[in-house]
């Protein structure tokens, strides 16, 4: 019997994983003239583009439009009145979302081609640190490279009592439903639970959130999450804090989520679907990671400040290497590693990585919060400026509960943290990050002319207020 020979390709750089970490690393490596192969088992774009950031923000947009139209029913709002309620066709909304995903995934393929990266579709399995075999549609292919960049990302963590399947959805299934669940129970009041839970509430599901901690979005401080808590209350979303999901039970007309409440009691929440979003873990199983001799740090791959692993010329980036598990961090690390391989002097030491939560209203945090500053023993001054005093916020009907908060070192007025909550504040995150990265002082912000009328003026006024000379307060 003849054993079919496995074709072998060699490259300077092999990138495993085509998410925002891996594809950016590959594009940059290609741009720098490095002979690069990218292996992706699924479609190009990774969690972020195919089943994460982009699909969720598309559905959040649909939900917002639908809710706004519903608010125009009867007497109407802003002089716009509807006589009949809007109808939601979730399957059509999902098709619209899929169109955006297709377009962007195709765009990634084109960018890789332009950078002369060879993209292979298939699951890579390593036999040693520099060699993997990819099951492509044309058969197995062995890839050997001088440098390997691991960017295999992360996957949702299932609760043992609540395995995914049937009515128990991970974010992936929740983003591709063709019918709205009438009653949706969300386990985990973190990023995904609240972004998607709020969107489903806007679309008309009766949503209940079960969160183990005493607060929603425990990552952010209470001042930032309070407006979100108040919105959830107004939207009729029930939130059980300090509560844990114990499992599912069949009921006469479907299922119920069994929950242990903060006082130790047990309640049953009838639900057509349960969205379980209790965190994500690095994807380390099933691709021969254990053959590579690469060290871990806890659940993640251990890396230094250049994303080098313990094995020479093996690099790891993105969700695989730890918090924050955010797309822009993955991309920044990918770009950096490609440049280091090409001989540039780089290190991953950002002044800040912005975090944005796309809830209602949105939250942004860049740098240190007042509590983090004081925990680090920094003598800081803190103040905030409300959206209620900003013309643009009022014209956007967003004046009610937003603010921008600044944290600065007392001794030299250097800005060390910027947080905001309010409609559309995600779009201010770039300006906030730039200010921190450039080492801005309050006078720099105060001396920068901000266009009128924009939400950015709130940032300007927050600086003026912290300097003791607000103009519009
Ligand atoms: P991933 O994007 O997970 O990509 C890894 C890729 O590797 C996958 O495509 C996988 O198929 C491939 N792969 C794995 N193993 C192999 C193998 N052996 N062979 C071949 N291919 C392999 N982040 C934000 O910054 N903003 C947001 O708004 C945001 N929203 C999110 C919403 C949801 C619902 C979810 C789930 C996540 C969200 N995230 C968001 C997080 C973001 O998606 C991740 O931080 C980001 O995708 C991580 O990028 P990565 O390149 O490290 O990994
Ligand atoms: P998360 O860590 O944001 O939230 C998980 C929540 O589940 C926490 O509040 C936790 O206290 C709670 N929890 C844990 N075990 C529980 C239990 N047994 N019962 C009830 N609650 C429980 O995780 P996620 O929402 O799954 O998101 C995963 C990651 O994806 C995020 O950490 C983030 O890095 C990324 N993400 C980012 C964005 C964004 O940038 N806008 C959006 C979505 C996801």
């Amino acid at each position: 019997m003849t054993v079919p020979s496995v074709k072998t390709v060699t490259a300077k750089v092999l990138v495993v994983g085509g998410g925002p970490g891996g594809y950016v690393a590959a594009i940059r490596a290609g741009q720098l003239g490095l002979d690069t192969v990218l292996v992706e088992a699924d479609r190009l774009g990774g969690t972020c583009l195919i089943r994460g950031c982009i699909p969720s923000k598309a559905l959040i947009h649909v939900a917002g439009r639908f809710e706004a139209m519903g608010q125009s029913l009867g007497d109407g709002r802003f002089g716009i009145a509807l006589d009949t309620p809007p109808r939601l066709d979730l399957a059509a909304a999902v098709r619209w979302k899929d169109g955006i995903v297709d377009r962007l995934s195709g765009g990634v393929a084109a960018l890789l081609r332009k950078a002369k990266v060879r993209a292979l579709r298939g699951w890579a399995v390593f036999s040693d640190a520099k060699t993997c075999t990819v099951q492509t549609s044309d058969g197995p292919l062995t890839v050997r490279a001088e440098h390997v960049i691991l960017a295999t990302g992360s996957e949702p963590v299932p609760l043992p009592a609540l395995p995914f399947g049937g009515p128990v959805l991970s974010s992936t299934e929740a983003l591709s439903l063709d019918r709205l669940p009438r009653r949706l129970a969300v386990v985990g009041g973190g990023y995904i639970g609240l972004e998607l839970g709020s969107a489903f509430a806007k679309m008309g599901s009766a949503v209940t959130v079960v969160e183990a901690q005493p607060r929603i979005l425990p990552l952010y401080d209470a001042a930032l999450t309070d407006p979100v808590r108040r919105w959830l209350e107004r939207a009729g979303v029930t939130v059980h804090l300090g509560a844990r999901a114990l499992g599912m039970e069949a009921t006469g007309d479907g299922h119920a989520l069994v929950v242990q409440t903060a006082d130790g009691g047990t309640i049953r929440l009838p639900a057509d679907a349960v969205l379980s979003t209790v965190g994500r873990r690095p994807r380390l199983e099933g691709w021969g990671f254990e053959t590579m001799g690469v060290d871990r740090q806890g659940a993640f791959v251990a890396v230094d400040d250049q994303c080098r692993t313990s094995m020479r010329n093996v690099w790891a980036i993105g969700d695989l290497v730890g918090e924050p598990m955010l797309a822009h961090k993955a991309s920044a690390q990918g770009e950096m590693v490609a440049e280091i391989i090409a001989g540039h002097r780089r290190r991953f030491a950002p002044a800040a990585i912005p975090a944005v939560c796309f809830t209602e209203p949105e939250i942004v945090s860049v740098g240190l919060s007042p509590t983090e500053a004081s925990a680090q023993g920094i003598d800081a001054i803190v103040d905030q400026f409300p959206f209620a005093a900003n013309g643009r916020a009022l014209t956007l009907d967003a004046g009610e509960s937003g603010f921008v908060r600044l944290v600065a070192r007392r001794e030299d007025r250097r800005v060390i943290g910027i947080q905001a909550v309010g409609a559309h504040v995600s779009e201010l995150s770039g300006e906030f990050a730039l200010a921190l990265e450039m080492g801005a002082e309050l006078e720099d912000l105060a001396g920068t002319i901000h266009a009128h009328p924009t939400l950015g003026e709130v940032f300007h006024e927050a600086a003026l207020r912290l300097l003791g000379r607000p103009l519009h307060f």
Side-chain angles (χ1 to χ4, degrees):
M1 192 177 86
T2 53
V3 179
S5 63
V6 176
K7 273 200 262 168
T8 299
V9 296
T10 55
K12 171 89 174 174
V13 181
L14 161 64
V15 183
V16 188
Y23 85 69
V24 167
I27 289 174
R28 190 69 189 119
Q31 287 173 345
L32 289 164
L34 304 172
D35 177 24
T36 303
V37 168
L38 171 84
V39 184
E40 167 56 58
D42 195 343
R43 295 164 66 202
L44 290 167
T47 303
C48 180
L49 206 165
I50 310 296
R51 51 189 170 274
C53 327
I54 297 296
S56 60
K57 271 75 233 179
L59 284 193
I60 288 167
H61 177 70
V62 168
R65 290 285 284 262
F66 181 69
E67 184 202 33
M69 289 183 79
Q71 288 167 345
S72 288
L73 200 60
D75 291 344
R77 279 179 94 199
F78 324 120
I80 303 169
L82 289 179
D83 294 333
T84 49
R87 279 179 298 106
L88 178 76
D89 179 346
L90 187 57
V94 166
R95 282 198 297 279
W96 173 72
K97 174 268 286 181
D98 287 342
I100 297 169
V101 170
D102 288 347
R103 188 167 154 185
L104 290 173
S105 182
V108 171
L111 291 171
L112 289 167
R113 276 196 301 275
K114 190 173 160 204
K116 302 197 165 43
V117 174
R118 286 175 283 165
L120 301 176
R121 186 161 183 175
W123 184 254
V125 177
F126 280 80
S127 48
D128 66 47
K130 308 283 167 51
T131 316
C132 71
T133 301
V134 185
Q135 297 301 331
T136 72
S137 53
D138 298 331
L141 195 64
T142 295
V143 187
R144 268 201 198 98
E146 201 179 309
H147 291 268
V148 173
I149 304 177
L150 302 175
T152 58
S154 65
E155 58 195 4
V157 177
L159 283 174
L162 222 56
F164 296 125
V168 182
L169 315 175
S170 75
S171 51
T172 304
E173 294 81 49
L175 290 166
S176 287
L177 294 176
D178 52 11
R179 267 189 312 140
L180 198 67
R182 198 164 55 82
R183 299 159 306 181
L184 176 70
V186 177
V187 182
Y191 270 105
I192 303 180
L194 287 189
E195 286 188 1
L196 293 186
S198 305
F200 278 100
K202 287 182 182 182
M203 291 191 283
S205 295
V207 176
T208 306
V209 176
V210 175
E211 164 58 49
Q213 297 290 318
R215 293 201 296 110
I216 52 163
L217 292 169
L219 210 71
Y220 297 99
D221 62 64
L224 296 172
T225 57
D226 247 18
V228 177
R229 184 186 56 74
R230 289 201 299 273
W231 182 87
L232 291 168
E233 252 173 50
R234 278 204 309 277
V237 175
T238 309
V239 180
H240 295 282
L241 297 172
R244 283 179 181 277
L246 300 178
M248 295 294 285
E249 242 178 41
T251 62
D253 66 339
H255 317 271
L257 177 72
V258 186
V259 174
Q260 184 177 55
T261 52
D263 59 9
T266 303
I267 55 169
R268 283 168 177 73
L269 302 173
D272 304 299
V274 173
L275 171 60
S276 178
T277 55
V278 296
R280 295 178 63 83
R281 63 184 175 205
R283 200 167 189 186
L284 281 167
E285 301 287 326
W287 52 269
F289 172 73
E290 56 290 347
T291 67
M292 301 182 80
V294 169
D295 288 348
R296 284 164 60 154
Q297 185 168 36
F300 297 99
V301 175
V303 287
D304 66 8
D305 63 358
Q306 291 187 310
C307 289
R308 291 176 195 273
T309 69
S310 54
M311 175 59 73
R312 197 166 169 270
N313 291 349
V314 176
W315 313 73
I317 57 175
D319 282 9
L320 203 52
V321 302
E323 301 283 355
M325 290 203 251
L326 298 174
H328 38 285
K329 182 209 72 173
S331 298
Q333 290 180 329
E335 185 194 22
M336 174 195 73
V337 168
E339 293 187 354
I340 295 173
I341 294 172
H344 298 198
R345 281 167 62 89
R346 292 285 312 272
R347 176 167 93 80
F348 192 69
I353 300 173
V356 178
C357 193
F358 294 82
T359 36
E360 185 63 55
E362 295 173 350
I363 303 176
V364 175
S365 181
V366 186
L368 299 179
S369 70
T371 321
E372 288 163 342
S374 90
Q376 291 187 19
I378 300 171
D379 184 12
I381 48 174
V382 179
D383 212 336
Q384 64 189 49
F385 193 86
F387 269 31
N390 174 265
R392 181 58 177 153
L394 298 190
T395 64
L396 289 168
D397 191 33
E400 205 182 306
S401 63
F403 62 84
V404 173
R405 184 176 70 194
L406 284 178
V407 186
R409 272 197 315 236
R410 188 184 300 277
E411 55 170 345
D412 57 2
R413 307 279 192 264
R414 170 74 68 91
V415 181
I416 54 173
I418 309 166
Q419 296 85 34
V421 56
H424 313 290
V425 292
S426 54
E427 295 301 332
L428 298 180
S429 62
E431 182 177 4
F432 295 171
L434 184 67
L436 257 69
E437 207 57 62
M438 301 292 287
E441 294 172 12
L442 289 175
E443 287 292 356
D444 296 320
L445 308 187
T448 304
I449 297 176
H450 282 70
H452 179 72
T454 63
L455 295 176
E457 290 172 286
V458 182
F459 184 43
H460 182 232
E461 283 280 2
L464 290 175
R465 193 164 180 212
L466 198 45
L467 287 166
R469 48 185 169 94
L471 290 168
H472 293 89
F473 199 81

